[in-house]
Amino acid sequence: MSKNYKISIIKGDGIGPEIIDEAIKVLDIVSYNCGFTLEYKEYLMGGIAIDVTGKPLPQETIDGVLNSDACLFGAIGGAKWDSLPRELRPETGLLNFREAMGVYANLRPAVIYDELINASTLKAEIIEGVNIMVVRELIGGIYFGKPRANDGQKAYNTMIYTKDEIIRIGKKAFEIAMSRDKRVCSVDKANVLEVSQLWRDTMIELSASYPEVELTHMYVDNATMQLVRNPKQFDVIVTGNIFGDILSDTASMVVGSIGLLPSASTGDKTAIYEPIHGSAPDIAGLGIANPIATIQSAAMMLRYSLGETQAADIIEKAIKQALKKGYRTEDLASFDTKHLVSTSEMGNIIADFIDK
Ligand code: NAD
């Protein structure tokens, strides 16, 4: 009997539905060809959930995702909901969702496709061979710390990390480094912040358990600059929530576009697979969003949550073939672009390469 997996789908807002539809198109073909089935169930979150249920994160979504084998997520947010009180905003729903799912480690691979060397704003010799894994702590730090307030005259947030939280994410980074080039760069702001000093001390302590892995440290301001100056120096970057958020956007432009970077948010209960970008309201509905980050996230889901390695390989190969043949969405287009394609055309082309 063929295997059947339960996949929760959250399309969200803006370009979310457009890019998720392309990922599902690709998943349907690859699962059929590889002899397993995916049973999708859609849940609401973000702005659309506010419109339909009055809340950014309905309980049904939490229960549904926890009862599935993995979750594929689009993006949430948009100007329509920006003036709501913070606790009712789509972004608060997303943070609460990640916390409820316990997904403390967000893995963001930034790998250059040879075919896209010219799509980067950086010179070819700087970016050729870039292969970085950003390991971002996802459910702690300043996005979650209390107290937090804004009374119109004074506003503050709190950056907190406990030693246990740092050990938990540090272990993940060291373990990932063991299967790669065995180098971890821990990014912090230990010259100014107490929380970063604890982060650094804990990483040093932890590194004793991973003697084969080289641990280095970098301040976040320097790391942002180094990512653009010489990205090849990095193997695994481990960092806190806000620094990881910023650094991975920089890493995305090193490899060509924010529309390319997938991610896996993992923990002990479940995993959520999502592009690193947001809902891109400026291009929503125009049919020009790049679906590759989401299709690549779907491949990560097959590989890491379902163990369907062959299917993941097939998707990744199809993406490369589409790029090799010169198909580009607008974000990747350059002077030598042969075939400028829409969001759904890119999905169709990748799906066709899977069938070949
Ligand atoms: P964004 O990532 O949505 O967009 C930044 C820029 O990148 C925009 O110019 C956009 O058009 C472009 N872009 C993003 N994804 C693209 C794709 N797949 N193809 C082509 N171009 C793409 O970030 P933003 O503009 O700062 O935020 C927009 C909304 O998204 C806000 O409401 C924000 O809170 C939300 N957001 C959500 C998430 C999430 O759901 N995980 C993450 C970040 C931002």
Side-chain angles (χ1 to χ4, degrees):
M1 215 174 77
S2 76
K3 280 193 204 149
N4 179 50
Y5 303 100
K6 283 201 273 184
I7 306 300
S8 43
I9 300 282
I10 298 176
K11 293 185 175 179
D13 310 315
I15 61 170
E18 301 167 43
I19 53 178
I20 289 281
D21 285 350
E22 298 317 308
I24 291 180
K25 196 185 274 175
V26 167
L27 281 172
D28 280 345
I29 290 189
V30 83
S31 56
Y32 180 80
N33 287 359
C34 291
F36 60 90
T37 52
L38 299 171
E39 190 185 321
Y40 309 110
K41 184 124 198 255
E42 224 181 285
Y43 296 97
L44 296 178
M45 224 197 92
I48 175 90
I50 296 170
D51 290 351
V52 175
T53 71
K55 293 183 206 156
L57 177 61
Q59 184 62 39
E60 198 197 345
T61 300
I62 298 179
D63 297 339
V65 174
L66 284 175
N67 277 321
S68 64
D69 293 307
C71 174
L72 187 63
F73 182 95
I76 53 87
K80 183 179 174 191
W81 305 282
D82 278 354
S83 52
L84 288 173
R86 183 150 302 277
E87 64 281 9
L88 291 179
R89 285 183 54 159
E91 291 81 358
T92 306
L94 177 59
L95 292 182
N96 291 342
F97 177 58
R98 288 171 174 166
E99 192 176 33
M101 297 301 119
V103 285
Y104 63 88
N106 183 223
L107 315 180
R108 300 183 153 193
V111 184
I112 188 93
Y113 290 102
D114 290 343
E115 297 75 16
L116 289 181
I117 296 276
N118 291 328
S120 174
T121 47
L122 302 182
K123 290 189 195 123
E125 66 261 31
I126 303 288
I127 54 170
E128 249 162 1
V130 163
N131 183 343
I132 304 169
M133 178 66 89
V134 180
V135 179
R136 167 188 173 196
E137 201 291 327
L138 200 59
I139 55 174
I142 198 162
Y143 291 173
F144 287 88
K146 292 196 175 97
R148 56 189 296 160
N150 176 4
D151 68 8
Q153 296 302 315
K154 190 173 75 177
Y156 49 85
N157 292 89
T158 307
M159 193 189 265
I160 300 184
Y161 271 116
T162 64
K163 190 162 178 166
D164 285 348
E165 285 171 331
I166 302 168
I167 291 173
R168 186 171 65 173
I169 192 72
K171 274 187 177 164
K172 193 89 188 177
F174 279 106
E175 275 155 22
I176 289 173
M178 288 293 287
S179 64
R180 295 174 48 103
D181 200 35
K182 300 190 174 60
R183 291 181 293 121
V184 170
C185 178
S186 170
V187 174
D188 61 38
K189 192 70 186 165
N191 49 345
V192 179
L193 301 173
E194 282 78 2
V195 62
S196 279
Q197 191 60 58
L198 180 66
W199 180 281
R200 190 174 280 217
D201 294 345
T202 307
M203 288 295 166
I204 292 170
E205 231 177 278
L206 193 59
S207 71
S209 307
Y210 300 89
E212 287 172 59
V213 179
E214 175 197 274
L215 173 68
T216 54
H217 307 274
M218 209 177 267
Y219 299 134
V220 63
D221 37 354
N222 184 27
T224 319
M225 186 268 280
Q226 294 293 341
L227 259 178
V228 181
R229 192 187 73 87
N230 176 18
K232 271 184 272 193
Q233 71 186 285
F234 296 107
D235 176 28
V236 174
I237 292 176
V238 63
T239 190
N241 206 341
I242 188 168
F243 298 157
D245 198 357
I246 297 165
L247 284 174
S248 46
D249 270 28
T250 310
S252 76
M253 267 322 287
V254 170
V255 301
S257 166
I258 196 162
L260 291 173
L261 253 66
S263 87
S265 303
T266 66
D268 301 325
K269 294 189 247 183
T270 187
I272 304 163
Y273 295 86
E274 53 179 315
I276 76 151
H277 59 72
S279 57
D282 53 335
I283 58 167
L286 300 181
I288 59 172
N290 188 343
I292 291 181
T294 314
I295 295 172
Q296 187 71 262
S297 301
M300 286 179 90
M301 175 179 84
L302 294 176
R303 187 181 304 284
Y304 297 117
S305 281
L306 311 186
E308 296 290 349
T309 314
Q310 188 201 0
D313 288 346
I314 291 172
I315 293 180
E316 284 166 4
K317 194 168 158 218
I319 293 173
K320 279 191 190 146
Q321 281 171 311
L323 295 173
K324 198 169 183 177
K325 292 282 179 203
Y327 295 104
R328 304 277 186 272
T329 42
E330 210 166 284
D331 54 313
L332 294 172
S334 60
F335 65 93
D336 59 350
T337 294
K338 284 197 218 129
H339 312 291
L340 188 62
V341 295
S342 68
T343 309
S344 66
E345 283 166 342
M346 184 59 103
N348 291 342
I349 289 157
I350 294 171
D352 282 352
F353 275 115
I354 287 173
D355 244 358
K356 277 179 188 154

